[in-house]
Amino acid sequence: MEKTIFGNTEDGKTVFLYTFKNEQGMEMTVSDFGATLTNLWVTDKEGKARDIVLGFPSLKGYEINNEFFFGATVGRNANRVENATFELNGVRYKLNKNEGNNNLHSGPDGYQLRIWEVRAVNELEHSITFALDSVDGDQGFSGELNLEVTYQLQEDAISITYRGNADQETIFNPTNHSYFNLNGHQNGDVLDHVLQLNASKYTPIKAESSIPTGEILTVEDTPMDFRSSKRIGKDIQKDFSQLNYAQGYDHNFVIDQNTGIAARLEGDQSGISMEVSTQLPGVQVYSGNFLNDTPGKNNAFYPPQAGVCFETQAFPNAVNEPKFATPILKKDEEKILKTTYQFMTVN
């Protein structure tokens, strides 16, 4: 493991990068600022390593300009809460609004903007554990939450494990917000990437708020159907209300729970493919619709659809929707959630 200085925050605190490498040529860099994945190098079909996650060239981007949540650990609650309010055990909780009337990714004081404690490093297992103590009332949520996030670089994969416990019943729905471009972060859009989702249903959204309607609909005979592999861009421009609302894909897909595999993605140029697996019920597939020549690493500019996110999660607005399972963490319970991104190269 190599530890280097990433920079200093606006208030003068030093932030570090931690880099792990394996014998297969993979390399993972994470930061204690936001427990963020900043770089992920994977070998392509020609044996060349490509950095396949979008990111910023300096700490300032992550601290000041990160409206896109590049590589972020999001918590306590991923995705949207309608009207930034919910009820738990008869108590009404008010969160900060940061997307119209919604609370998005837990608001403007998100975990991606905090310096996490490095609790453990295991160089033999290529892993690092970041820890964050979130006090009672933090972001508007109940209970003191103790959260650990462990990144592990495996032989042909990275895994992200979330471990949480709290002294009161609370919401616990963290995720990672990395944008993947398997051709390399600087190589244009992902519209020619081939995607397959293990999802026969999805949760449609309202036009005005991107909040789920509460319905769970079949993907059959719609542009939302990725059960068979197809290009991300194949249907993205179709005149379909759900795509019009989000200007592309930004939807929660209901993972068919027969394999634990949520998604498979293949880069059209690199030959790199990725398989996403999790025990969580949903995955938000976001096709980077609102990127707009956003300045990134290595003097790159990220156009719309420069990357695609796979945010494994409980369903959006589950705290307010009776038809969805609410992501509750009970008092003194420990909950462990894990998502794995596995890679292979095809010629």
Side-chain angles (χ1 to χ4, degrees), residues 178-194:
S178 290
Y179 294 69
F180 293 93
N181 184 325
L182 300 187
N183 292 333
H185 75 95
Q186 76 281 22
N187 286 337
D189 62 49
V190 296
L191 295 178
D192 286 330
H193 279 44
V194 175

Side-chain angles (χ1 to χ4, degrees), residues 1-4 17-21 27 123:
M1 191 271 293
E2 180 182 0
K3 178 181 178 181
T4 57
L17 295 172
Y18 303 84
T19 298
F20 297 83
K21 303 177 183 179
E27 184 175 319
E123 295 196 41

Side-chain angles (χ1 to χ4, degrees), residues 17 29 36 53 55 132 144 147 155 181 223 230 264 267 274 285:
L17 295 172
T29 300
T36 297
V53 293
L132 183 72
E144 180 176 349
L147 173 61
E155 181 178 345
N181 184 325
K230 69 178 182 182
R264 294 181 180 89
M274 179 178 76
V285 177

Side-chain angles (χ1 to χ4, degrees), residues 1 3 16 18 31-32 115-121 127-132:
M1 191 271 293
K3 178 181 178 181
F16 294 93
Y18 303 84
S31 176
D32 53 6
I115 297 178
W116 294 53
E117 172 195 348
V118 177
R119 184 153 292 176
V121 174
S127 70
I128 185 168
T129 298
F130 298 108
L132 183 72

Side-chain angles (χ1 to χ4, degrees), residues 166-186:
D167 63 356
Q168 296 181 44
E169 191 164 278
T170 190
I171 303 300
F172 184 62
N173 183 32
T175 196
N176 181 271
H177 207 291
S178 290
Y179 294 69
F180 293 93
N181 184 325
L182 300 187
N183 292 333
H185 75 95
Q186 76 281 22

Side-chain angles (χ1 to χ4, degrees), residues 54 68 70 179-181 185 187-192 232-233 236-237 246-249 286-295 301-308:
L54 276 57
F68 301 110
F70 286 155
Y179 294 69
F180 293 93
N181 184 325
H185 75 95
N187 286 337
D189 62 49
V190 296
L191 295 178
D192 286 330
I232 291 175
I236 201 169
Q237 297 293 338
Q247 298 182 38
Y249 295 102
Y286 173 50
S287 53
N289 312 316
F290 298 104
L291 298 170
N292 186 19
D293 288 333
T294 305
F301 289 88
Y302 301 139
Q305 287 94 38
V308 57

